[in-house]
């Protein structure tokens, strides 16, 4: 068979200003990011790809090349050798763990999973060179919507590294692309949303300090986007972060500041969410009357939501069921266990099956409320009914483990 040069790859080398050795170094760097072990690609291998001698590189290098050029292998000029040479949509096995370094293990054990998620959600399609148009931002928004849906279904898990990697891609687009003012604002808004999603993933993964940094970055990008809704989202997340760190008065102040923005108050979903979180903050500061007023305000704000049009992807979780769950948290903080239990039961009845993370969260909350009232048999029944096997949330798993330990201690001994 006559060898045919890979003219597409050669054109990409010229477009991206890569020498053969330069591309090899970049491939090795990306392989390191994906697997935890730097690649061993050489300039000789790149020359063989360009000459057509190697028409289909190994999977590890294909994944790296896809990320570098932002396109599938066929669009880089590679030709599959047959059905068995199709790209595996997963990364190679992670390297052996190092003892004594939990952060290192956690980062690279999950790296292949993160790569699989990123590829499955199509996050590498965003251009980092050339002209960005509004249609590109529409595709970016759809990708972020898929990320949000993944979080609501299974929790944070590998999404922390996926979101932060996608942020870096969008920041590369900010620096490397040509665009107009409207596109620029939307791009900053998309980055703000990704930082917010990454913050929640960090929160789910038990990384509170990183979550705070990500939410702060989300606010900065929201301000650059001049997007009142994105700013409100960032403030809301920072308020939640303050509450989780025990700074309850600060959480109340942050949430009230977000509600002072007129446009935010006029959005029924955002206003309802902020009022519900304000109720929890006030409950944590023993402001019973204030918590009751905020819960009522949340209900009233949510009333016209059906006429407000479709929700942005990050707010699709906010339903009547979620509001009941948030109200339950406020009642629980006040020590009102019966109303908290009733509201949690209502939340579980209203939440759709697809919201598996929320259902697991409030399922654990219901078991905690049973324990707080001495109802150990009911707590055991609630735990047994939980469908949490497919979730990837260290936070929820930790709370569930605490409930299970309490139940074990309460079991009668023979």
């Amino acid at each position: 068979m006559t060898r045919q040069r890979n003219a597409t790859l050669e054109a990409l080398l010229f477009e991206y200003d890569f020498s053969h050795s330069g591309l090899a170094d970049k491939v090795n760097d990306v392989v390191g990011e994906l697997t935890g072990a730097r690649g061993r690609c050489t300039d000789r291998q790149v020359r063989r790809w360009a000459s057509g001698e190697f028409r289909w590189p190994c999977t590890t290098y294909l994944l790296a090349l896809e990320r570098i050029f932002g396109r599938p292998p066929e669009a880089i000029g590679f030709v599959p050798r047959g059905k068995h040479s199709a790209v595996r949509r997963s990364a190679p096995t992670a390297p052996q763990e190092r003892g004594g370094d939990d952060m290192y293990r956690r980062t690279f054990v999950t790296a292949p999973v993160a790569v699989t998620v990123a590829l499955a959600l199509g996050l590498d399609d965003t251009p980092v060179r050339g002209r960005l148009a509004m249609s590109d931002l529409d595709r970016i928004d759809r990708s972020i919507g898929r990320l949000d849906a993944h979080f609501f279904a299974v929790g944070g898990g590998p999404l922390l590294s996926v979101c932060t990697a996608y942020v870096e891609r969008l920041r590369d687009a900010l620096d490397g692309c040509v665009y107009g003012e409207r596109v620029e604002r939307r791009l900053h808004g998309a980055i703000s949303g990704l930082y917010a999603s990454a913050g929640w993933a960090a929160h789910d993964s038990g990384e509170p300090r990183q979550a705070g940094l990500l939410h702060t970055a989300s606010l900065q990008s929201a301000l650059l986007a001049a997007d009142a809704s994105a700013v409100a989202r960032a403030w809301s997340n920072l308020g939640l972060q303050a509450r989780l760190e025990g700074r309850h008065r600060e959480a109340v102040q942050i949430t009230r500041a977000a509600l002072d923005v007129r446009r935010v108050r006029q959005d029924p979903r955002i206003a309802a969410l902020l009022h519900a979180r304000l109720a929890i903050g006030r409950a944590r500061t023993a402001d019973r009357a204030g918590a009751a007023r905020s819960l009522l305000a949340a209900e009233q704000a949510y009333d016209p939501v059906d006429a407000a049009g479709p929700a942005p992807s990050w707010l699709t979780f906010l339903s009547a069921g979620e509001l009941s769950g948030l109200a339950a948290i406020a009642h629980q903080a006040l020590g009102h266990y019966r109303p908290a239990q009733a509201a949690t039961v209502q939340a579980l009845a209203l939440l759709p099956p697809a919201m598996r993370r929320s259902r697991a969260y409030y399922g654990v909350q219901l078991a905690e409320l049973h324990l707080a009232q001495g109802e150990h048999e009911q707590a055991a029944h609630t735990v047994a009914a939980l469908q949490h096997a497919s979730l990837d949330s260290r936070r929820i798993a930790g709370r569930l483990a605490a409930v299970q330990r309490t139940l074990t201690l309460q079991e009668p001994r023979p």
Side-chain angles (χ1 to χ4, degrees), residues 232-251:
R233 180 186 184 185
W235 277 123
S236 176
N237 288 336
L238 285 168
L240 176 65
Q241 185 70 26
R243 173 160 60 85
L244 294 172
E245 294 173 1
R247 296 179 282 110
H248 301 301
R249 292 189 182 278
E250 182 180 335

Side-chain angles (χ1 to χ4, degrees), residues 87-106:
V87 180
R88 295 182 305 162
R89 290 301 178 184
S90 60
T93 304
Q96 294 295 318
E97 300 173 2
R98 297 178 185 174
D101 189 343
D102 184 64
M103 179 61 73
Y104 180 91
R105 290 197 299 271
R106 184 161 60 252

Side-chain angles (χ1 to χ4, degrees), residues 300-335:
Q300 293 173 338
Y302 191 76
D303 280 343
V305 76
D306 289 338
S313 64
W314 72 272
L315 264 177
T316 54
F317 77 97
L318 190 70
S319 62
E322 185 69 29
L323 280 180
S324 293
L326 293 172
I329 296 173
H331 287 304
Q332 186 179 24
L334 290 168

Side-chain angles (χ1 to χ4, degrees), residues 17-52:
D17 196 26
F18 276 131
S19 63
H20 292 147
S21 60
L23 179 59
D25 287 341
K26 184 64 175 176
V27 166
N28 291 332
D29 289 342
V30 173
V31 168
E33 294 171 7
L34 297 178
T35 69
R38 196 171 188 274
R40 297 182 179 180
C41 182
T42 64
D43 58 339
R44 185 165 179 261
Q45 285 174 292
V46 176
R47 283 197 297 274
R48 286 179 168 181
W49 297 340
S51 69

Side-chain angles (χ1 to χ4, degrees), residues 218-242:
S218 174
L219 176 60
Q220 177 179 317
S221 293
L223 292 170
L224 290 172
D227 185 333
S229 297
V231 170
R233 180 186 184 185
W235 277 123
S236 176
N237 288 336
L238 285 168
L240 176 65
Q241 185 70 26

Side-chain angles (χ1 to χ4, degrees), residues 31 34-36 59-61 63 88 90-95 108 111-113 115-116:
V31 168
L34 297 178
T35 69
T59 299
T60 309
Y61 292 155
L63 290 170
R88 295 182 305 162
S90 60
T93 304
F108 290 119
V113 182
V115 174
T116 302

